[in-house]
Amino acid sequence: MTMSLSAELWPDVQPETARRLMLAGVEAFAQRGYHATTTRDIAGAAGMSPAALYVHFPSKAALLFAISRYGHEQTLALVENVIAKEADPVERIRLIVEDFVAWHARRHTVARVVQYELQALPEQEFEVVAALRRRIERIVREVIAEGVDSGVFTVSDPHVAARAVLSLGVDVARWYSERARQTPAALGKEYGGLVLRMLGVADTI
């Protein structure tokens, strides 16, 4: 990732030095893991002194929280955008999966930190992020339940199905890289078709 990418990832974060620290934190956490990363590692990667980090973030945990919260807010916005523009449950779930998977592929380094370092958050900050995760899951569950009620989906438990759908997207961040055969958009479309077949919709490709 480059510093220009930081503005794209976190456009409303100011000043630029805070964005640089978030980007450096992502790279360090993804490479070493949260617990093995020091504030000196982060500040050094951002080209700053260790003391500079504390100007913008009171702790390493606060930096992780900012990264995780923004990531979850962005994926929630993707899901809510689909709901706002599409009414049909089949197309809703297809588009949700396409966008969710593509985001986790395109932003795979950020997404790995966002999704797999959650347990390192302090309890209060964890609950903020957990609430965002619950909102995403609730939307997907309601779309699946609507499809079941209208007879287009055949699953016995929309709650389990929603978790399975989201888990597929989250896992993309674990293995995806720039060497992957498919682009994020193409992967999202393939997963969209796979999920619809998983929900009992035939002939989706």
Side-chain angles (χ1 to χ4, degrees):
M1 290 189 292
T2 64
M3 289 303 171
S4 63
L5 182 56
S6 67
E8 182 182 344
L9 286 169
W10 305 294
D12 56 338
V13 173
Q14 294 293 336
E16 171 62 24
T17 50
R19 289 203 301 261
R20 285 170 59 193
L21 285 164
M22 289 176 69
L23 183 57
V26 164
E27 293 174 334
F29 296 151
Q31 181 179 358
R32 300 180 179 90
Y34 174 81
H35 292 292
T37 299
T38 67
T39 54
R40 185 176 295 274
D41 293 330
I42 297 165
M48 303 177 193
S49 69
L53 185 145
Y54 297 106
V55 174
H56 304 286
F57 301 97
S59 66
K60 184 176 72 167
L63 177 61
L64 176 63
F65 174 55
I67 294 166
S68 187
R69 178 169 58 86
Y70 272 100
H72 282 87
E73 287 174 347
Q74 288 172 11
T75 51
L76 173 60
L78 291 176
V79 172
E80 290 179 333
N81 183 57
V82 171
I83 298 301
K85 70 182 182 182
E86 180 60 60
D88 176 63
V90 172
E91 286 307 303
R92 273 183 167 179
I93 207 70
R94 184 203 300 273
L95 292 173
I96 285 172
V97 171
E98 287 183 5
D99 291 350
F100 193 77
V101 167
W103 188 91
H104 281 78
R106 188 177 302 111
R107 304 287 184 238
H108 56 91
T109 305
V110 175
R112 277 199 299 275
V113 174
V114 166
Q115 298 290 356
Y116 294 109
E117 296 288 354
L118 283 176
Q119 297 305 316
L121 289 171
E123 183 176 353
Q124 185 174 354
E125 286 79 1
F126 176 86
E127 181 51 40
V128 172
V129 174
L132 292 169
R133 293 171 72 88
R134 288 193 294 270
R135 287 172 63 184
I136 295 169
E137 183 178 324
R138 184 182 69 248
I139 292 171
V140 174
R141 183 174 67 247
E142 289 173 351
V143 172
I144 293 174
E146 181 183 356
V148 171
D149 291 342
S150 62
V152 293
F153 297 151
T154 55
V155 295
S156 59
D157 189 334
H159 188 276
V160 172
R163 288 193 169 180
V165 168
L166 291 172
S167 293
L168 287 172
V170 167
D171 190 60
V172 167
R174 178 185 58 80
W175 61 264
Y176 193 88
S177 74
E178 284 73 15
R179 296 181 179 182
R181 178 176 57 86
Q182 292 172 299
T183 65
L187 187 67
K189 287 185 178 299
E190 183 165 344
Y191 269 57
L194 290 171
V195 164
L196 288 182
R197 289 196 292 274
M198 183 179 80
L199 296 176
V201 180
D203 300 322
T204 60
I205 299 298

